[in-house]
Amino acid sequence: MCNNCKSEEIYKDIIDEDIDISLLFPVIEKYGKVKGSLINILQATQDIYGYLPLQALNYIADNTENKRSVIYGVATFYTQFRLKPIGKYLILQCHGTACHVNGSKEVSKAICEELNIEPGQTTEDGLFTLEDVSCLGCCSLAPVIMINGEAYGNLTPSEAVKVIRNIRKEDIA
Amino acid sequence: MKVLVGLGSCGIAAGGKKVLQSITDSIEKNNLDITIEPTGCVGMCFYEPLIDIIDGDKKYTYGHVNAKIAEQIVESHLINGQPLDEYIIYTNEKPDAYVKNQLKVALENCGIINPEKIEDYINVGGYKALEKVLKSMTPEEVIEDIKISGLRGRGGAGFPTWFKWDAARKSPGNEKYVVCNADEGDPGAFMDRSVIEGDPHKLIEGMIICGYAMGASHGVVYCRAEYPLAIERLNLAMEQAIEKNYLGENILGTGFNFDLRIKMGAGAFVCGEETALIESLEGKRGMPRLKPPFPAQSGYWRKPTNINNVETLANVSWIISHGPEKFAEIGKDKSKGTKVFALSGKIKNGGLAEIPMGMTLREIIYDIGGGIKENKKFKAVQLGGPSGGCLPESLLDTPVTYEDLNKTGAIVGSGGMVVMDETTCIVDVTKFFLNFTCNESCGKCTYCRVGTKRMLQILEKITAGNGTMEDLDELEELALSVKDGSLCGLGQTAPNPILTSLKYFRDEYIAHIVDKRCPAKKCTALLTYSINKDKCTGCTLCSRKCPVNAINGTLKNPHEINQELCIKCGNCHSVCRFDAVEII
């Protein structure tokens, strides 16, 4: 908790759960002494845990020259960083200009309805996390979504739903 | 014989890897002595997946290939020597209009060489310019060459490149940095990704030459994390360049040292601004610094730093090896050389096109891009992303140069060119851009932080049908204030979409405000859904899909929408198989 204002406000975005902190040791070993590498540390942390757990952030603060406030500031400034765990499949919905004029809104609506979540949320079964991104750089295939690094282009609302149902089917199989 | 498979990000997304696998399998199965290699993006994204078959001096390009067609191609073309005409989109003897009207400098090797092999780059004359620079030119001569060429920044502002190099060179200090801005954040632009994915050595060579000219021995590429393939190929290229002694210590025995590393961005549009990029490189929140001092005097770790965009640096080796005069011959007035544009939106042939500066927008959109999808009516072309503007049909004959485009209120920018047809609502698109800049504003300057939000709210009010004519004046006033009151390029240019659309498409705003009508039928609050009784078959599908039970009717009888209950979600329109739901 913040010692000045006793505010709980900051913690509402952060999940505090037990993690294996030893996974972070090599990251601190590699970047701890390199000045200006906070973003690299956070990227490596997110690669390990899938998000930025509170314990990990505190550990980074205690073992590098970065204050907790600075770390929280950086972690919330960049869209890449997440303070909550994500599902097994991360769906990035492109909302770039080309996707926008080619109907990304309708595609997004269909996906939200299929998964029954809003962008930024994870499905209850922990399978899918949905996020909006500004541009994936595959504009000629608009509208595009990317699922765990693989891009799906030229989508219609019904095709997008099909893609998701297929993944769900394969996951069960 | 050699087979090339286009494996840029877009090629892979379209299924390029499956095609590669299929061809490799067929070649192995038939014991053919044919090399098969991946290559970068040739720019014709609308034909992906693409493969090239090179047979002596003949080259055949196949488009829209899938695994099955690939097998047929192997059988007919590679085994029996019969090119499959039905899938060939062009040959080197009969080039397609998309290719014919372009002039490639920065993209000259993309889609031609294997980006994962340094030998391929060297075979097409790669690293010759670096050798020439290091062995026979002084740094001043290099800068003079760049000055003669007239090269200007390709990332947005169009600042003369030689001037930045020269300023960084003249700044005191031994430790200097070359930074490449590969944080391509403009929605609708992907040329930098293509250069790095398709020809990474060209960027590396340009950066080393820049380092030599300004006296820097360290380089950093700031690349966005959304481009994993680009980062992978650049890493590989760097390893190969070190092995061949083009990079590292005592390069080619000349005593010049240059090291290079990649720093991944973490997703913030404002980091495309050079001082914000430097803050981010230092591991901080990407918030812009006050200028002056300029990065050339005090940049990365307060050392003299030169920041250039990927495409700018990709032109450097060409200028050195072909001569700066040759580069200066291309283009018009003060805009020399070529510019790569990313054509997308409602255009038939979307992809990358590198054109000599001075070509008109009409030539780019119609001669290269093939015109509008489904032959609909052209409405506007959006240039320069969220910092640019929408231009109407009457300005299509504007030549693409920095000066001519600035006069219209749009900018060359990073080269995104999004084409819109009659079904695109300009007010809605403007709202889209403001939503983008409002989200991406770093929050440092009040005008940008609050002003973009206020402008967005006004646009939301207009698209919801609650706008007044006074709102337009307020929008204009706010736009001009935000321009003046912001520190960096993001805030200074964020109002451009509003100012250009008010200038060229004011009647569309008025239609929303006065007539409560959206001419493009996009703004849902202003639409009315109704069922055409003659077309409705009474299938009951719409009634079942309506989330608020606003559709009444019985089986096999025409249905009707209760306008008081209708929430205008559009479900009925999208599910109807008989086009019976009309939007008014």
Coordinates of all heavy atoms in Angstrom, one line a residue, chain A residues 105, chain B residues 425-428 431 458-468 507-530 563 566-570 582-584:
Chain A
K105 N -14.9 -3.2 -37.0 CA -15.9 -3.0 -35.9 C -16.9 -4.2 -35.8 O -17.2 -4.8 -34.8 CB -16.7 -1.8 -36.1 CG -16.4 -0.6 -35.2 CD -17.5 0.4 -35.2 CE -17.0 1.8 -35.4 NZ -18.0 2.7 -35.8
Chain B
C425 N -17.7 6.8 -43.9 CA -18.2 8.1 -43.3 C -17.0 8.9 -42.8 O -16.2 8.5 -42.0 CB -19.2 7.9 -42.2 SG -19.6 9.4 -41.3
I426 N -16.8 10.1 -43.4 CA -15.6 10.9 -43.1 C -15.7 11.3 -41.6 O -14.6 11.4 -40.9 CB -15.6 12.2 -44.0 CG1 -15.3 11.7 -45.4 CG2 -14.5 13.1 -43.5 CD1 -14.0 11.2 -45.7
V427 N -16.8 11.7 -41.1 CA -16.9 12.1 -39.7 C -16.5 10.9 -38.8 O -15.8 11.1 -37.8 CB -18.3 12.6 -39.3 CG1 -18.3 13.2 -37.9 CG2 -18.8 13.6 -40.3
D428 N -16.9 9.7 -39.2 CA -16.6 8.5 -38.4 C -15.1 8.2 -38.4 O -14.5 7.9 -37.4 CB -17.4 7.3 -39.0 CG -17.0 6.0 -38.3 OD1 -17.3 5.9 -37.1 OD2 -16.4 5.2 -39.0
K431 N -13.3 10.7 -36.3 CA -13.5 10.3 -34.9 C -12.6 9.1 -34.5 O -12.0 9.1 -33.5 CB -15.0 9.8 -34.7 CG -15.4 9.5 -33.3 CD -16.9 9.2 -33.2 CE -17.1 7.7 -33.5 NZ -18.5 7.3 -33.3
I458 N -16.8 16.0 -29.0 CA -17.6 16.7 -29.9 C -18.0 15.9 -31.1 O -19.1 15.8 -31.6 CB -16.9 18.0 -30.3 CG1 -16.8 19.0 -29.1 CG2 -17.7 18.7 -31.4 CD1 -16.0 20.2 -29.4
L459 N -17.0 15.1 -31.6 CA -17.2 14.3 -32.8 C -18.2 13.2 -32.4 O -19.1 12.8 -33.2 CB -15.9 13.7 -33.3 CG -15.0 14.6 -33.9 CD1 -13.6 14.0 -34.2 CD2 -15.6 15.1 -35.3
E460 N -18.1 12.6 -31.2 CA -19.0 11.6 -30.7 C -20.4 12.2 -30.7 O -21.4 11.5 -31.1 CB -18.6 11.1 -29.3 CG -17.5 10.0 -29.4 CD -16.9 9.7 -28.1 OE1 -17.2 10.4 -27.1 OE2 -16.1 8.7 -28.1
K461 N -20.5 13.4 -30.2 CA -21.8 14.1 -30.1 C -22.4 14.2 -31.5 O -23.6 14.0 -31.7 CB -21.6 15.5 -29.5 CG -22.8 16.2 -29.1 CD -22.4 17.5 -28.4 CE -23.4 18.6 -28.6 NZ -23.0 19.9 -28.3
I462 N -21.6 14.6 -32.5 CA -22.1 14.8 -33.9 C -22.5 13.5 -34.5 O -23.6 13.4 -35.1 CB -21.0 15.4 -34.8 CG1 -20.7 16.9 -34.3 CG2 -21.5 15.5 -36.2 CD1 -19.6 17.6 -35.0
T463 N -21.7 12.4 -34.3 CA -22.1 11.1 -34.9 C -23.3 10.5 -34.2 O -24.0 9.6 -34.7 CB -20.9 10.1 -34.9 OG1 -20.4 10.0 -33.6 CG2 -19.9 10.5 -35.9
A464 N -23.6 11.0 -32.9 CA -24.8 10.4 -32.2 C -26.0 11.2 -32.6 O -27.1 10.9 -32.1 CB -24.5 10.5 -30.7
G465 N -25.8 12.2 -33.5 CA -27.0 13.0 -33.9 C -27.4 14.1 -33.0 O -28.4 14.7 -33.2
N466 N -26.5 14.5 -32.1 CA -26.8 15.6 -31.2 C -25.9 16.9 -31.4 O -25.8 17.7 -30.6 CB -26.6 15.2 -29.7 CG -27.4 13.9 -29.4 OD1 -28.5 13.9 -29.8 ND2 -26.8 13.0 -28.6
G467 N -25.3 16.9 -32.6 CA -24.4 18.0 -32.9 C -25.1 19.3 -33.2 O -26.3 19.3 -33.6
T468 N -24.4 20.4 -33.0 CA -25.0 21.7 -33.4 C -23.9 22.4 -34.3 O -22.8 22.0 -34.3 CB -25.3 22.7 -32.2 OG1 -24.0 22.9 -31.6 CG2 -26.2 22.0 -31.3
D507 N -19.7 19.5 -45.8 CA -21.1 19.2 -46.1 C -21.5 17.9 -45.4 O -22.7 17.7 -45.0 CB -21.5 19.2 -47.6 CG -20.5 18.5 -48.4 OD1 -19.4 18.2 -47.9 OD2 -20.7 18.1 -49.5
E508 N -20.5 17.0 -45.2 CA -20.9 15.7 -44.6 C -21.1 15.9 -43.1 O -22.0 15.3 -42.5 CB -19.7 14.7 -44.8 CG -20.3 13.3 -44.8 CD -19.3 12.4 -45.5 OE1 -18.9 12.6 -46.6 OE2 -19.0 11.4 -44.9
Y509 N -20.4 16.9 -42.5 CA -20.6 17.2 -41.1 C -22.0 17.9 -41.0 O -22.8 17.5 -40.1 CB -19.6 18.3 -40.6 CG -18.3 17.7 -40.2 CD1 -17.2 17.6 -41.1 CD2 -18.0 17.4 -38.9 CE1 -16.0 17.1 -40.8 CE2 -16.8 16.9 -38.5 CZ -15.8 16.7 -39.4 OH -14.6 16.2 -39.1
I510 N -22.3 18.7 -41.9 CA -23.6 19.4 -41.9 C -24.8 18.4 -42.1 O -25.8 18.6 -41.4 CB -23.7 20.5 -43.0 CG1 -22.6 21.6 -42.6 CG2 -25.0 21.2 -43.1 CD1 -22.4 22.7 -43.7
A511 N -24.6 17.4 -42.9 CA -25.6 16.4 -43.1 C -25.9 15.7 -41.7 O -27.0 15.4 -41.4 CB -25.2 15.4 -44.1
H512 N -24.8 15.5 -41.0 CA -25.0 14.8 -39.6 C -25.7 15.8 -38.7 O -26.5 15.3 -37.9 CB -23.6 14.5 -39.0 CG -23.0 13.2 -39.6 ND1 -22.5 13.2 -40.8 CD2 -22.9 12.0 -39.1 CE1 -22.0 12.0 -41.1 NE2 -22.2 11.2 -40.0
I513 N -25.4 17.1 -38.7 CA -25.9 18.0 -37.7 C -27.3 18.5 -38.1 O -28.2 18.4 -37.3 CB -24.9 19.2 -37.6 CG1 -23.6 18.7 -37.0 CG2 -25.5 20.3 -36.7 CD1 -22.5 19.7 -37.1
V514 N -27.4 19.0 -39.3 CA -28.7 19.6 -39.7 C -29.8 18.6 -40.1 O -30.9 18.5 -39.6 CB -28.5 20.7 -40.8 CG1 -29.8 21.3 -41.2 CG2 -27.5 21.7 -40.4
D515 N -29.4 17.7 -41.1 CA -30.3 16.7 -41.6 C -30.4 15.5 -40.7 O -31.3 14.6 -41.0 CB -29.9 16.3 -43.0 CG -29.6 17.5 -43.9 OD1 -30.2 18.6 -43.6 OD2 -28.9 17.3 -44.9
K516 N -29.6 15.4 -39.7 CA -29.5 14.2 -38.9 C -29.4 12.9 -39.7 O -30.2 12.0 -39.6 CB -30.8 14.1 -38.0 CG -31.0 15.3 -37.1 CD -30.0 15.4 -36.0 CE -30.2 16.7 -35.2 NZ -29.0 17.1 -34.6
R517 N -28.5 12.9 -40.7 CA -28.4 11.9 -41.7 C -26.9 11.6 -41.9 O -26.1 12.5 -41.9 CB -29.0 12.4 -43.0 CG -29.2 11.4 -44.1 CD -29.9 12.2 -45.2 NE -29.2 13.3 -45.8 CZ -28.2 13.2 -46.7 NH1 -27.9 12.0 -47.2 NH2 -27.6 14.2 -47.1
C518 N -26.6 10.3 -42.0 CA -25.2 9.9 -42.3 C -25.2 9.4 -43.7 O -25.6 8.3 -44.0 CB -24.7 8.8 -41.3 SG -23.1 8.2 -41.8
P519 N -24.6 10.2 -44.6 CA -24.7 9.9 -46.1 C -24.0 8.5 -46.4 O -24.5 7.8 -47.3 CB -23.9 11.0 -46.7 CG -23.8 12.1 -45.8 CD -23.9 11.5 -44.4
A520 N -23.0 8.1 -45.6 CA -22.4 6.8 -45.9 C -23.1 5.7 -45.1 O -22.7 4.5 -45.3 CB -20.9 6.9 -45.5
K521 N -24.1 6.0 -44.4 CA -24.8 5.0 -43.6 C -23.9 4.2 -42.7 O -23.9 2.9 -42.7 CB -25.6 4.0 -44.5 CG -26.6 4.8 -45.4 CD -27.4 3.9 -46.3 CE -28.4 4.8 -47.0 NZ -29.1 4.0 -48.1
K522 N -23.1 4.9 -41.9 CA -22.2 4.2 -41.0 C -22.5 4.6 -39.5 O -22.3 3.7 -38.7 CB -20.7 4.7 -41.3 CG -20.0 3.9 -42.3 CD -19.5 2.6 -41.8 CE -19.4 1.6 -43.0 NZ -19.2 0.3 -42.6
C523 N -23.0 5.8 -39.3 CA -23.2 6.2 -37.9 C -24.6 5.7 -37.5 O -25.6 6.2 -37.8 CB -23.2 7.7 -37.8 SG -21.6 8.4 -38.3
T524 N -24.6 4.6 -36.7 CA -25.8 3.9 -36.4 C -26.9 4.7 -35.8 O -28.1 4.5 -36.1 CB -25.5 2.7 -35.5 OG1 -24.5 3.0 -34.6 CG2 -25.1 1.5 -36.3
A525 N -26.5 5.7 -35.0 CA -27.6 6.4 -34.3 C -28.4 7.2 -35.3 O -29.6 7.6 -35.0 CB -26.9 7.4 -33.3
L526 N -27.9 7.5 -36.5 CA -28.6 8.3 -37.4 C -29.3 7.4 -38.5 O -29.9 7.9 -39.4 CB -27.7 9.2 -38.1 CG -27.0 10.2 -37.2 CD1 -25.9 11.0 -38.0 CD2 -28.0 11.2 -36.6
L527 N -29.3 6.1 -38.3 CA -29.9 5.2 -39.3 C -31.3 4.7 -38.8 O -31.5 4.6 -37.6 CB -29.0 4.0 -39.5 CG -27.6 4.3 -39.9 CD1 -26.8 3.0 -40.1 CD2 -27.5 5.1 -41.2
T528 N -32.1 4.3 -39.8 CA -33.4 3.7 -39.4 C -33.4 2.4 -40.2 O -33.2 2.3 -41.4 CB -34.6 4.5 -39.8 OG1 -34.4 5.8 -39.3 CG2 -35.9 3.9 -39.3
Y529 N -33.6 1.3 -39.5 CA -33.7 0.0 -40.2 C -35.2 -0.3 -40.5 O -36.1 -0.1 -39.6 CB -33.2 -1.1 -39.3 CG -31.7 -1.1 -39.1 CD1 -31.1 -0.3 -38.2 CD2 -30.9 -1.8 -40.0 CE1 -29.7 -0.2 -38.0 CE2 -29.5 -1.8 -39.9 CZ -28.9 -1.0 -38.9 OH -27.6 -0.9 -38.8
S530 N -35.5 -0.8 -41.7 CA -36.9 -1.1 -41.9 C -36.9 -2.3 -42.9 O -35.9 -2.6 -43.6 CB -37.6 0.0 -42.5 OG -37.3 0.2 -43.9
Q563 N -39.9 0.6 -34.3 CA -38.8 1.6 -34.2 C -38.6 2.1 -32.8 O -37.5 2.5 -32.5 CB -39.1 2.8 -35.1 CG -39.2 2.4 -36.6 CD -37.9 1.8 -37.2 OE1 -36.8 2.0 -36.6 NE2 -38.0 1.1 -38.3
C566 N -36.3 -0.6 -31.3 CA -35.0 -0.9 -32.0 C -33.8 -0.2 -31.4 O -33.9 1.0 -31.2 CB -35.2 -0.5 -33.5 SG -33.7 -0.7 -34.5
I567 N -32.7 -0.9 -31.2 CA -31.5 -0.3 -30.7 C -30.5 -0.1 -31.8 O -29.3 0.2 -31.5 CB -30.9 -1.1 -29.5 CG1 -30.7 -2.5 -30.0 CG2 -31.8 -1.0 -28.3 CD1 -29.7 -3.3 -29.0
K568 N -30.9 -0.4 -33.0 CA -30.0 -0.2 -34.2 C -28.7 -0.9 -34.1 O -27.6 -0.4 -34.4 CB -29.8 1.3 -34.4 CG -31.0 2.1 -34.6 CD -30.9 3.5 -34.6 CE -32.2 4.2 -34.7 NZ -32.1 5.6 -34.6
C569 N -28.8 -2.2 -33.7 CA -27.6 -3.0 -33.6 C -27.2 -3.5 -35.0 O -26.0 -3.9 -35.2 CB -27.7 -4.1 -32.6 SG -28.9 -5.4 -33.2
G570 N -28.1 -3.6 -35.9 CA -27.8 -4.0 -37.2 C -27.8 -5.5 -37.4 O -27.5 -6.0 -38.5
E582 N -33.6 -2.9 -44.9 CA -33.0 -1.7 -45.6 C -32.6 -0.7 -44.5 O -33.2 -0.6 -43.5 CB -34.0 -1.1 -46.6 CG -34.2 -2.1 -47.7 CD -35.4 -1.6 -48.7 OE1 -36.2 -0.8 -48.3 OE2 -35.4 -2.2 -49.8
I583 N -31.5 0.0 -44.9 CA -31.1 1.0 -44.0 C -31.4 2.4 -44.6 O -31.1 2.6 -45.8 CB -29.5 0.9 -43.8 CG1 -29.2 -0.4 -43.3 CG2 -29.1 2.0 -42.8 CD1 -27.7 -0.7 -43.2
I584 N -32.1 3.2 -43.9 CA -32.4 4.5 -44.5 C -31.7 5.6 -43.7 O -31.6 5.6 -42.5 CB -34.0 4.8 -44.4 CG1 -34.7 3.6 -45.1 CG2 -34.3 6.1 -45.1 CD1 -36.1 3.5 -44.7

